[in-house]
Amino acid sequence: MAISGKSRNALAVTFAIAFMATVTGASPAQAQSAKAEPRTPWGDPDLQGIWSIATITPFERPSALADKAQLTPEEAAEAEKTFLKTQNQDRRDGAGTEADVALAYNDFWWDRGTKVVSTRQTSLVVDPPDGRVPALTAEGRARATARAARGYDSWQDRSLWERCITRGLPMIPGPYNNNYQILQTPDNVVILHEMIHDARIVPLDGRPHVGQHIRQWFGDSRGRWEGNTLVVDTTNFTGKANYRGSTDGLHLIERFTRVDKDTVRYEFTIDDPTTFTKKWTAAIPMARTDEQIYEYACHEGNYGMVNLLKGARAQEKAGGEK
Amino acid sequence: MGSGFQFRFAFLVLGSLAVIQSFAAGETVAGETAAGEAVLGEAVVGEAVVGEAVAREAFVVPTFRSAGSAFARQGTKPAARPNFDGIWNSATTTPLERPAQLKDKAFFTPEEAAAWERQITGRNQAPGTGIGTYNTVFREYGTRTVKTLRTSIITDPPDGRIPALTPAAAEVKRRRLAGIKNPASAQETGLQDRCLAMVTTGPPMLPYSYNSNYQIIQSADAVVIQVEMIHDTRIIRLDGRPHLPSSIRLWKGDSVGRWEADTLVVDTTNFNDGGGFYGDAGGNFGWDRNLHLVERFSLLDKDTLLYRFEVDNPTAFAQPWKGELTMTRSTGPMYEFACHEGNYALPNMLNGERVIERRSSTPR
């Protein structure tokens, strides 16, 4: 099922408005449990279970919160309340208008979370300290411009998301199906992504990355333990994976830390010097869920792509903008 | 398919012909074609059949328990279970169903197996006739029979053939095959053509003419089977939780596992209605949502996995049936699989149908 970039932007904007109305000063702090985290029988930190990264916390810090890294509990509660009110997809204002059609799925269908992240950070990006993705390089900007010019001539012009190829890496919250299942052995970690039923098998045995000429949507992942943190190092991406405009030179470093019974802290660092002017890092608490993950369907029973292209052809016939 | 030719070559020596050959007819009568050609000499076929008991005896081998893999960092597996961790390939020259010329013969002798392998491999390497599709570099046909030397993957009924469908299931199959042979829409094609599921995933997991590869990761609570095709991943829980409510219906069903001595027994129910029709090349079985599948995984030796399965589906088949095959350990690795990506077959199939209709002026 495809969600347009437009809808996602709308979510972010509304979130920003909600925050602007509610924020006051508070000091940033990371809440970490002092309790001993669970261990596997062979002594590794236990990351196993089903985890959700659904959250209403925006990826980048809203400009209104420029100097504020963390919400107070009261601000968080207010932000959640406002978000739910403004984002109610079940409302019907103006039947027959484009705004009404754009509501698309209803609230029963969405699964984007109702809470800010448990750390109450104001953005998922935590480094740079302003909570914003660093500027693109000149080359990165040129590539972004070329990408933005792609239209609706063919399904190949559309995003990987809409084409059901992959939702890719890193793991970032979306509007639905934010669930992951982690399984461990001494030698491997398996991470099942609900979306596109992608599953990564990350070897922990220290073997080197595959040869440079092997390029994959999910790259090539190698894991190791650094203290209580699982560090997953991924290279060998195909340039087509294109996370936020990144290239095949993307070096992704993910860190998984079980901070308490119900939380794995997930952190990723994006290192791609030809695309971003500096490295950056996001942190997302993964919340334990007792729900099960079922099979995911993307193209199956989904007429979204056909309809997108048909719509574009209809607009062309009508003399509208291509 | 795996990306990268290194991988492809690495597996070139492994693969399955018999299954795909039989599937080309849109039927699940593996080996029929092979049987008709009977390169295997009559003398060989006519020779004394190896007694089942003898052949079975030969394959009663010590169990290989987990002693930590070559890559083990620390600690041991939580329980002393057989360790299936690794990459496995199921490609074989053994057909799914017993060829007619081997009617009463359940096992090959080693010499017969070698002759069969030469025959099948020779045909696989022969230049094709007609338009053709993939070449032999692309395929990963098996070159060996299953290690048990069975003459068919189907072991029960004793004739090595899949039992007849019930009248209702036969009617469903007739309709589905009509759609698969002359699809009016993508929805009428097989699951394989739609990239929804492949016969290697099943379950049951049967070999195909390429990418018959699996990676198994096993812990105390779950067994993960990553299937190369469609990058499907089965997560079989071992924690004793019951099956899902019957209202939940899935392509791969709902699998729960348990250990019976050194055998992993996987019980799968909750299948959906659309399964079992993979398409012209993939096999069309006709099981339905009531399918109750039991799979058994055990080790014949440290590099050979014995995979057995039982199909219990009274609404679809006249009687239950069973099969078994062996998988061989591979060094891998497995790479990402692409199905629709860069693949224009589905539009071309539908275009082809429309062209045929226009030419014959008899639209469906």
Side-chain angles (χ1 to χ4, degrees):
Chain A
M1 319 243 167
I3 176 169
S4 72
K6 210 182 278 180
S7 308
R8 267 175 285 156
N9 290 342
L11 294 181
V13 167
T14 313
F15 187 90
I17 292 167
F19 265 6
M20 278 190 271
T22 58
V23 293
T24 61
S27 62
Q30 292 290 336
Q32 294 235 341
S33 167
K35 278 181 235 161
E37 72 283 358
R39 297 247 162 205
T40 62
W42 57 94
D44 284 338
D46 194 341
L47 306 173
Q48 299 184 95
I50 298 179
W51 306 93
S52 167
I53 59 170
T55 180
I56 64 171
T57 298
F59 194 71
E60 292 186 279
R61 189 169 317 151
S63 53
L65 300 175
D67 298 318
K68 189 177 177 63
Q70 192 190 34
L71 300 177
T72 66
E74 296 73 29
E75 290 163 350
E78 189 58 30
E80 287 162 0
K81 214 169 103 187
T82 311
F83 182 89
L84 293 182
K85 199 160 71 187
T86 56
Q87 285 304 292
N88 177 5
Q89 299 288 305
D90 290 341
R91 72 182 193 276
R92 291 271 81 92
D93 31 41
T97 66
E98 197 170 328
D100 188 53
V101 173
L103 288 171
Y105 311 122
N106 63 13
D107 264 353
F108 179 81
W109 197 90
W110 290 108
D111 188 18
R112 67 205 151 188
T114 57
K115 304 279 185 197
V116 300
V117 288
S118 52
T119 54
R120 286 179 276 112
Q121 66 204 55
T122 52
S123 59
L124 300 181
V125 175
V126 292
D127 184 53
D130 68 358
R132 315 276 305 177
V133 175
L136 295 174
T137 61
E139 187 196 323
R141 277 200 306 278
R143 276 190 265 115
T145 306
R147 252 195 336 276
R150 291 182 314 181
Y152 290 81
D153 282 350
S154 152
W155 65 90
Q156 281 148 331
D157 291 335
R158 308 312 308 156
S159 69
L160 299 179
W161 180 291
E162 290 175 352
R163 295 171 65 192
C164 296
I165 287 182
T166 180
R167 304 276 151 97
L169 289 176
M171 312 191 304
I172 46 173
Y176 51 89
N177 294 357
N178 290 292
N179 300 302
Y180 298 83
Q181 182 171 6
I182 300 179
L183 298 105
Q184 283 170 259
T185 71
D187 305 328
N188 290 282
V189 175
V190 179
I191 306 170
L192 173 73
H193 297 220
E194 180 173 15
M195 286 285 203
I196 318 284
H197 57 80
D198 272 321
R200 290 193 274 166
I201 297 178
V202 182
L204 303 174
D205 57 18
R207 73 181 77 177
H209 281 294
V210 295
Q212 279 294 301
H213 57 291
I214 303 283
R215 296 285 159 183
Q216 308 197 97
W217 294 110
F218 265 59
D220 180 61
S221 292
R222 297 289 178 262
R224 65 181 186 273
W225 290 100
E226 283 183 5
N228 289 335
T229 298
L230 171 70
V231 181
V232 180
D233 184 295
T234 306
T235 58
N236 296 70
F237 283 102
T238 161
K240 294 184 291 182
N242 193 34
Y243 173 63
R244 282 186 169 253
S246 61
T247 63
D248 59 4
L250 171 62
H251 179 200
L252 173 70
I253 301 130
E254 296 165 284
R255 291 186 172 81
F256 298 80
T257 313
R258 183 83 180 252
V259 292
D260 60 40
K261 181 170 139 308
D262 295 322
T263 317
V264 167
R265 177 182 159 89
Y266 171 64
E267 193 180 281
F268 67 82
T269 298
I270 297 288
D271 181 9
D272 184 13
T274 65
T275 305
F276 301 103
T277 48
K278 57 177 158 178
K279 288 191 212 178
W280 56 277
T281 298
I284 307 165
M286 305 175 78
R288 200 166 66 87
T289 168
D290 294 328
E291 301 288 339
Q292 293 201 52
I293 295 180
Y294 300 112
E295 287 177 351
Y296 173 76
C298 191
H299 274 315
E300 193 186 334
N302 181 357
Y303 300 85
M305 177 63 83
V306 173
N307 290 342
L308 279 169
L309 299 178
K310 270 188 186 164
R313 300 295 81 77
Q315 277 184 336
E316 284 169 6
K317 270 190 199 144
E321 206 179 311
K322 194 179 168 182
Chain B
M1 101 186 112
S3 61
F5 270 158
Q6 282 201 333
F7 175 59
R8 184 142 309 289
F9 281 118
F11 282 104
L12 194 57
V13 293
L14 312 160
S16 157
L17 168 70
V19 171
I20 179 136
Q21 277 182 329
S22 60
F23 290 164
E27 303 286 341
T28 53
V29 283
E32 193 74 8
T33 319
E37 295 180 20
V39 179
L40 195 67
E42 274 191 30
V44 176
V45 176
E47 269 179 310
V49 174
V50 179
E52 285 209 12
V54 175
R56 279 187 185 138
E57 198 72 27
F59 288 92
V60 175
V61 293
T63 301
F64 289 76
R65 286 183 179 275
S66 164
S69 79
F71 297 118
R73 277 177 316 107
Q74 61 178 51
T76 55
K77 297 280 178 186
R81 299 291 187 193
N83 184 3
F84 303 134
D85 276 16
I87 298 179
W88 301 91
N89 181 282
S90 68
T92 178
T93 58
T94 302
L96 179 65
E97 291 186 290
R98 181 137 0 116
Q101 90 254 32
L102 299 174
K103 192 168 179 298
D104 297 316
K105 188 177 178 63
F107 292 91
F108 289 120
T109 63
E111 296 71 29
E112 289 165 353
W116 180 263
E117 288 163 356
R118 281 195 300 276
Q119 174 199 340
I120 299 298
T121 302
R123 190 172 43 228
N124 287 344
Q125 289 170 349
T129 56
I131 295 171
T133 56
Y134 310 125
N135 61 14
T136 51
V137 171
F138 182 92
R139 301 282 191 196
E140 289 164 354
Y141 292 123
T143 56
R144 307 299 304 270
T145 65
V146 291
K147 286 268 179 75
T148 54
L149 302 189
R150 283 202 177 265
T151 54
S152 60
I153 290 173
I154 305 299
T155 58
D156 184 53
D159 67 358
R161 320 263 320 167
I162 296 174
L165 291 168
T166 62
E171 174 55 22
V172 171
K173 179 169 177 174
R174 191 196 61 73
R175 269 189 284 117
R176 288 291 285 121
L177 285 185
I180 285 168
K181 286 181 187 307
N182 303 100
S185 73
Q187 284 77 9
E188 288 193 358
T189 62
L191 300 180
Q192 165 175 329
D193 304 320
R194 296 170 66 192
C195 294
L196 285 177
M198 298 283 292
V199 70
T200 52
T201 307
M205 308 189 299
L206 297 170
Y208 192 60
S209 61
Y210 53 91
N211 293 355
S212 300
N213 297 303
Y214 304 88
Q215 182 169 5
I216 300 181
I217 307 274
Q218 175 185 333
S219 75
D221 305 322
V223 173
V224 176
I225 304 176
Q226 185 161 57
V227 185
E228 180 174 16
M229 290 284 205
I230 322 276
H231 57 83
D232 261 324
T233 305
R234 302 176 65 190
I235 298 182
I236 299 155
R237 56 186 186 274
L238 305 176
D239 57 10
R241 271 179 294 162
H243 278 298
L244 298 171
S246 64
S247 55
I248 306 279
R249 295 287 165 175
L250 306 164
W251 290 110
K252 297 194 286 290
D254 178 54
S255 294
V256 298
R258 66 179 188 277
W259 290 98
E260 285 181 3
D262 290 324
T263 298
L264 172 70
V265 182
V266 179
D267 188 290
T268 305
T269 59
N270 296 65
F271 287 94
N272 68 18
D273 274 321
F277 293 98
Y278 296 104
D280 249 7
N284 297 292
F285 296 89
W287 49 66
D288 63 28
R289 58 165 28 214
N290 301 318
L291 169 60
H292 176 205
L293 182 75
V294 178
E295 299 161 281
R296 290 187 164 81
F297 298 77
S298 56
L299 290 177
L300 282 184
D301 59 52
K302 73 179 173 50
D303 293 325
T304 309
L305 194 156
L306 177 66
Y307 172 72
R308 291 171 291 170
F309 62 92
E310 299 174 21
V311 171
D312 179 18
N313 190 176
T315 50
F317 296 100
Q319 66 182 94
W321 49 284
K322 298 179 185 178
E324 75 175 35
L325 54 83
T326 54
M327 300 192 195
T328 307
R329 190 182 289 280
S330 159
T331 51
M334 275 185 354
Y335 298 109
E336 287 179 349
F337 173 78
C339 192
H340 274 316
E341 192 186 333
N343 181 354
Y344 298 87
L346 192 50
N348 290 345
M349 284 165 64
L350 296 174
N351 279 343
E353 285 301 319
R354 301 297 81 76
V355 169
I356 291 168
E357 283 171 5
R358 278 200 298 276
R359 284 182 182 167
S360 64
S361 309
T362 52
R364 296 175 69 221

